[in-house]
Structure formats: C-alpha cells, structure tokens
C-alpha cells in the first residue's frame, strides 16, 4: 500500500464518517461543523488528484463562506437540542422514502457507467491546475460560464430587492 | 512497512526541521510583539513601559506567559465543553498554518543539497493563505458560541461578519496583483521582484486596500470590534481564562506577524535586498551568506510592518460598527473593483 493509497482510504473513511455524523447529530451547530470536516476531506481528495486549485476553491467558497453564513443563522436562531421542535412521524417516513428513491435513481444511473476501467490519475493530472482550468473555462465553455455568472447577478439583485422591501 | 520505505526520508526530515524552526520563530516573534506593543505604547503616551523583568523589561513576555499558564483553568458549567476547548485550538492552528507557503529566503546549500527556505512551494500559494485565513473565522465563532454567553456570541458574530466582509476587498486587490504576476506561487512572485520592480509601485492603491483589510482580518484597532471592551465586556473570549485565553491573544500576534510577512512578500519584494544585485552578490560571496542576508532583510521589512500595526493601534480610535461596514462595503470594495478594472485596461492596451 503506497502513501497515496493509505491517504485515500483514510480520507474516504473520514468523509463518510463525518457525513453520517452530520446527519445524525442532534444539534444543528454540530451538523454544520461535521459538514466542514466533510469539505476538508473532499478538498484533500482533490489535492491527491493534483487539482490544487479546485481543492482550495472548495475550501474558500464552501467551508470558508457558505458554512459561516449557515453558522450565523443557526447561532442567531438559537436552535439547541432542547428547543428542537417535535418531529412528525410521517415526516420521518416520507424522508426515508424520498432518500431511498434518490438512492435507487443513483444506483440505476451509475450501474452501467464505465467506472471500473477508469483509473484516477493521482499526483500527475494537470487539469485541476489554475492555468488549464482557466483555459478550459474561457475557451471551450465560455458561454455556459457567462450564463451562470448572469444567473448569480440576478440572484444578487433579487436579494437586494427582498432586503429593501422592509 | 512498504509505506515507510517508499518515502523520501531526507525531504521529510528537512521539512520537519524547517516547520519546527518556523513555528518556533513565529512564537518567539509573537512573544516579543507583545513586549514591543507595550514599549511603543509607552513611548507614544510618554511613559516608560515594562522595565522590571530584565534590562529594559526584556523578560516581560516570559513573565506574562508564565502568569497565563499558572492561572486557574475555568470551563463554564453551561458551555459546550468540547467546542469551548476546540475554539482557541483552531485559532492557533490556522494562525500557524499560513506560514507554510511564505518563502523566507533563497536556497541554502548544505549536506550536498539545495534546501529552499520555504515549507511548500505550491502553485496556489496566495489562495492557500486566503483559504486558511477564511478558516480562522471558526476559531472566533466556535469559541464565542460555545461559551454560552450573550456578549461572547454577539462579539463572535460581529467579528466573523467583519472578517468575511473585508476578505472580499482583500481578494479583489489580490486579483489585480495576480494580473501583473501571472502566477499564484509566492516564490515566483518574489523572484519577479528581485530586480527591485516592487509591486507596490505598480499597485499603490491595491497595497493600501490590502493594508486596511489586513488590519480588519487581524482584529486590530481601529477594527477590533470583536473585542470592544466598552460595548461587549471582553468580546468573544469573555469566558476564557489561563492558556486558552493566551492562545486567542497569541493567535492575534502570530496573525500580525504572518500578514506582515505576506505584505512584505507580495508588495515589497519579499526577501530581496534593496540596492543590491542579489544574484551577483551570491556568486561572489557564496549562496549561504546571501540567504542569511536575505532572511535578515525580510525580517527587517516584517519588523517595520509590525511596528506600523502597533503605531496605528495607539494612534487611531476604534470605528463604530456601521462605519466599519460602510467602509468595507461602500468604499473599499468599489475602490478595489475600480483598481482591478484599471489594471486590466492598462495591461490590455499597454
């Protein structure tokens, strides 16, 4: 077992464990913190694939910005385990059915995918480096990229409009 | 067993020694920053400052550190125990981690190897620092929330919103610099400046915005809203005592040291020696002497910025919270975007 393989297994176990802990934690603040651990583990996976730019952007955007806002909301609303509203039994059942259906779709979609014959390039892939990524984004995919940025702009305008109403 | 045989042991040992030295130096610098802060404050306020422990109060930081260690450890009854202890740990860890990508000097030649005085020359250097700094918010937020104290929580949320607001302007100025450098690696950025083309002369507005944001990111006066004593008692570390409090205070000083190092590296030529042709000097007097002088030079630049941090603290009073947010969102961010656009136009049509 090489060092990379060892890291891969360690990180995968860490990511799965933290993801499960995120779902089962009683306190929402703990859930957010476990989710941050998941993002960390996934970022290090990116580093193993030599996609350093993706790794750090994943950390800055998700763990550094979005999760901080989540924490803001949860901390200010004071959602502790004691003040948790009573859960509806039917809500749990629909949750289980919804999750099961999602898993069924995922398994059906991935069943025929050609994953087995593809080997991840560790330590030598170049696509995740900033230069190549920029080239791909602004040459091949420039129109989808610009459209998604317009989408972000409209979301921003929407936020300002909602904020101004009061 | 196989895992351990396949590693490059020399590299590991080299890096381990380098990391320990850098962490040691960061802590010593942070210790003497507290001493310098009190001495500079004394000069500005026409006092003597600490002068009992050793000549000129030189052992005062040791006495202060010992005092913090000997204090009683208090964990509030209704706090979240694990997160309460994790908070200062994260603050310290993120403060220490940023030093990994800073190039401290050119290569030194020892034991038949060229050893770079930099822990990791990753090709995303600046973004790495940015990422770790954005993790630093959690130290403050977790600590403030876990204390289960309303003042701590309010201060933590204030501090975190201040840090994420000023991160934006900081990132926008860095984009303008990166347009000039074409590289994110800090070592490449320093090497481009070795013939005295410091980026501060090309990006003066960017440097000033970066400097202001660095004050806000380090929670230093005039932006120390998260520990505003007059409004929030002690701020987010209200409930902390002993070395846990020490970690929070120390992390602030380590952050000051590292942000001074980053400013010197990105805008002021890093380890470049002013008024001297580094490469020629290296050939004449040997690589190791050159590296030593470069290290000294970088530390002089860092020392100046640390002095500047302290100078401002004892000169300018604290901003009000709405003033802070107005400055960040309505002044610095538009200015940084304008700076970025102008830089882009100049590069395009020059």
């Amino acid at each position: 077992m090489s060092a990379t393989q060892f890291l891969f297994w360690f990180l995968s176990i860490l990511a799965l464990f933290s993801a499960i802990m995120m779902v089962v934690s009683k306190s929402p603040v703990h859930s957010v913190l476990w989710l941050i651990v998941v993002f960390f583990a996934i970022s290090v996976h990116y580093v193993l694939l030599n996609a350093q730019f993706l790794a750090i952007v994943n950390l800055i955007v998700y763990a550094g910005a979005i999760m901080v806002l989540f924490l803001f909301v949860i901390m200010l609303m004071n959602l502790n385990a004691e003040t948790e509203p009573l859960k509806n039994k039917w809500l749990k059942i629909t949750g289980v059915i919804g999750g099961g259906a999602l898993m069924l779709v995922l398994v059906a979609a991935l069943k025929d995918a050609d994953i087995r014959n593809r080997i991840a390039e560790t330590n030598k892939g170049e696509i995740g480096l900033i230069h190549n990524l920029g080239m791909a984004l602004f040459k091949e995919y420039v129109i989808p990229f610009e459209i998604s940025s317009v989408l972000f702009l409209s979301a921003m305008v929407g936020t300002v409009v909602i904020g101004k109403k009061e | 067993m196989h895992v351990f045989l396949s590693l490059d042991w020399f590299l590991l040992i080299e890096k381990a020694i380098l990391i320990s030295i850098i962490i040691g130096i960061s802590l010593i610098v942070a210790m003497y920053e507290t001493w310098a802060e009190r001495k500079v404050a004394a000069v500005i306020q026409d006092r003597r400052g600490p002068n009992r422990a050793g000549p000129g109060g030189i052992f005062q930081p040791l006495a202060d550190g010992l005092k913090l260690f000997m204090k009683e450890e208090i964990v509030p009854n209704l706090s979240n125990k694990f997160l309460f202890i994790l908070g200062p740990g994260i603050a310290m860890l993120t403060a220490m981690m940023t030093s990994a990508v800073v190039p401290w000097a050119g290569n030194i030649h020892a034991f038949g190897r060229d050893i770079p005085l930099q822990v990791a020359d990753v090709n995303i250097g600046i973004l790495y620092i940015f990422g770790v700094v954005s993790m630093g918010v959690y130290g403050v937020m977790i600590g403030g929330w876990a204390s289960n104290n309303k003042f701590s929580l309010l201060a933590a949320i204030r501090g975190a919103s201040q840090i994420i607001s000023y991160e934006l302007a900081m990132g926008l100025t860095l984009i303008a610099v990166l347009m000039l450098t074409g590289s994110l690696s800090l070592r490449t950025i320093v090497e481009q400046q070795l013939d005295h083309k410091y980026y501060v002369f090309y990006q003066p507005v960017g440097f000033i915005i970066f400097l202001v944001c660095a004050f806000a990111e380090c929670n230093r006066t005039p932006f120390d809203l998260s520990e505003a004593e007059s409004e929030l008692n002690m701020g987010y570390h209200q409930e902390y005592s002993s070395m846990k409090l020490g970690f929070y205070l120390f992390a602030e000083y380590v952050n000051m040291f590292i942000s001074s190092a980053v400013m010197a590296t990105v805008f002021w030529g890093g380890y470049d020696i002013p008024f001297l042709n580094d490469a020629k000097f290296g050939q004449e007097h040997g690589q190791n002497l050159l590296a030593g002088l470069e290290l000294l030079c970088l530390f002089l630049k860092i020392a100046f910025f640390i002095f500047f941090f302290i100078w401002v603290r004892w000169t300018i009073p604290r901003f009000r919270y709405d003033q802070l947010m107005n400055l960040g969102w309505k002044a610095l961010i538009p200015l940084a975007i304008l700076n970025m656009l102008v830089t882009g136009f100049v590069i395009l049509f020059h």
Side-chain angles (χ1 to χ4, degrees):
Chain A
M1 200 158 79
S2 72
T4 311
Q5 256 177 325
F6 176 76
L7 280 174
F8 173 80
W9 285 111
F10 173 72
L11 290 167
S12 306
I13 292 166
L14 181 70
L16 286 177
F17 174 74
S18 320
I20 291 169
M21 286 306 289
M22 179 225 145
V23 177
V24 291
S25 287
K26 284 269 181 216
S27 153
V29 171
H30 288 178
S31 290
V32 171
L33 296 178
W34 280 115
L35 193 56
I36 294 167
V37 179
V38 177
F39 286 136
F40 253 96
I42 290 173
S43 277
V44 185
H45 269 304
Y46 281 135
V47 173
L48 285 185
L49 294 168
N50 211 19
Q52 300 173 1
F53 182 68
L54 282 183
I56 205 71
V57 166
N58 187 40
L59 270 192
I60 293 176
V61 174
Y62 285 97
I66 295 179
M67 285 299 117
V68 174
L69 296 180
F70 269 51
L71 268 189
F72 264 27
V73 174
I74 291 170
M75 283 178 179
L76 280 178
M77 287 169 71
N78 205 14
L79 298 171
N80 291 325
E82 301 95 61
T83 58
E84 198 181 15
L86 285 173
K87 271 190 195 135
N88 193 335
K89 188 176 69 181
W90 291 103
L91 210 62
K92 279 185 188 168
I93 294 171
T94 39
V96 169
I97 293 173
L102 180 67
M103 197 177 87
L104 193 71
V105 173
L106 279 179
V107 168
L110 293 175
K111 183 171 65 76
D112 298 329
D114 185 23
I115 298 175
R116 208 164 271 245
N117 298 326
R118 295 197 179 191
I119 297 164
E121 282 185 56
T122 50
N123 299 327
K124 55 180 188 283
E126 299 268 291
I127 186 64
L129 299 187
I130 185 163
H131 180 254
N132 304 322
L133 205 67
M135 283 295 172
L137 268 185
F138 285 98
K139 281 198 164 153
E140 285 176 51
Y141 302 105
V142 66
I143 293 174
F145 181 78
E146 293 298 333
I147 289 175
S148 58
S149 64
V150 171
L151 206 64
F152 275 119
L153 193 66
S154 60
M156 264 166 75
V157 173
T159 326
V160 172
V161 168
I162 292 174
K164 281 238 165 176
K165 249 181 191 172
E166 308 199 354
Chain B
M1 258 339 269
H2 193 79
V3 177
F4 300 104
L5 292 177
S6 61
L7 296 171
D8 182 356
W9 277 104
F10 278 110
L11 187 75
L12 272 190
I13 292 169
E14 179 190 306
K15 294 296 182 198
I17 293 174
L18 198 61
I19 292 170
S20 348
I21 291 175
I22 289 174
I23 287 183
I25 288 178
S26 306
L27 288 174
I28 291 170
V29 169
M31 265 168 67
Y32 278 91
E33 271 171 88
T34 62
W35 177 78
E37 177 127 69
R38 299 173 69 173
K39 275 290 183 193
V40 172
V43 170
I44 289 176
Q45 298 171 344
D46 207 9
R47 295 184 283 115
R48 278 175 198 274
N51 61 354
R52 296 290 139 160
I58 198 85
F59 298 126
Q60 188 66 40
L62 295 178
D64 285 344
L66 191 68
K67 187 194 88 173
L68 276 176
F69 266 117
M70 305 298 273
K71 290 269 180 180
E72 187 187 354
E73 289 252 16
I74 300 170
V75 179
N77 244 345
L78 287 174
S79 68
N80 186 318
K81 306 265 178 328
F82 179 72
L83 292 182
F84 187 78
I85 296 169
L86 188 69
I90 291 179
M92 199 64 182
L93 181 75
T94 50
M96 287 293 178
M97 267 167 71
T98 25
S99 62
V101 291
V102 177
W104 299 99
N107 293 345
I108 56 168
H109 196 79
F111 310 111
R113 294 163 64 90
D114 265 333
I115 303 174
L117 289 185
Q118 180 184 20
V119 175
D121 185 18
V122 286
N123 73 6
I124 45 156
I126 286 187
L127 284 182
Y128 169 84
I129 292 184
F130 215 62
V132 176
V133 167
S134 65
M135 293 295 109
V137 183
Y138 290 115
V140 174
M141 283 195 85
I142 291 176
W145 182 78
S147 307
N148 200 7
N149 176 322
K150 286 198 175 67
F151 287 117
S152 302
L153 179 63
L154 280 177
I157 286 177
R158 260 189 184 195
S161 47
Q162 167 188 333
I163 290 173
I164 54 177
S165 306
Y166 278 75
E167 249 171 35
L168 292 175
M170 202 179 213
L172 288 171
T173 39
L174 279 180
I175 290 176
V177 178
L178 295 180
M179 280 193 229
L180 291 172
T181 62
S183 167
L184 289 158
S185 153
L186 284 174
R187 178 163 289 261
T188 318
I189 291 175
V190 172
E191 278 164 2
Q192 286 169 347
Q193 299 179 78
L194 278 185
D195 46 355
H196 308 323
K197 284 182 189 154
Y198 292 174
Y199 283 122
V200 66
F201 300 123
Y202 299 89
Q203 284 291 330
V205 181
F207 171 66
I208 290 169
I209 299 173
F210 194 92
L211 186 70
V212 174
C213 293
F215 274 86
E217 296 287 309
C218 295
N219 278 328
R220 291 286 299 184
T221 334
F223 305 123
D224 60 342
L225 270 295
S226 54
E227 40 194 280
E229 304 93 343
S230 46
E231 303 157 24
L232 295 166
N233 294 345
M234 278 276 287
Y236 61 91
H237 44 56
Q238 164 116 51
E239 297 286 348
Y240 283 89
S241 64
S242 185
M243 211 49 205
K244 292 202 288 296
L245 173 67
F247 262 36
Y248 271 129
L249 301 182
F250 238 62
E252 178 185 321
Y253 284 98
V254 175
N255 276 333
M256 240 164 85
F257 169 57
I258 301 293
S259 56
S260 300
V262 172
M263 277 189 282
T265 305
V266 176
F267 290 100
W268 289 93
Y271 53 74
D272 174 48
I273 307 171
F275 313 115
L276 185 79
N277 188 335
D278 290 35
K280 200 168 146 228
F281 184 87
Q283 276 165 3
E284 282 168 9
H285 297 89
Q287 201 63 39
N288 289 351
L289 182 64
L290 175 71
L293 284 178
E294 284 174 339
L295 190 67
L296 185 70
C297 200
L298 178 63
F299 269 90
L300 285 177
K301 289 172 185 174
I302 293 173
F304 173 76
F305 280 116
I306 291 174
F307 169 71
F308 190 73
F309 268 105
I310 296 170
W311 187 15
V312 168
R313 172 165 180 187
W314 298 105
T315 315
I316 300 178
R318 181 183 301 133
F319 277 46
R320 242 180 21 233
Y321 191 67
D322 57 324
Q323 290 172 331
L324 170 97
M325 280 296 160
N326 278 341
L327 180 71
W329 288 96
K330 294 184 183 163
L332 290 182
I333 290 179
L335 199 62
I337 291 176
L338 190 70
N339 182 42
M340 190 175 83
L341 283 177
V342 170
T343 312
F345 275 117
V346 170
I347 291 174
L348 200 60
F349 296 115
H350 195 58

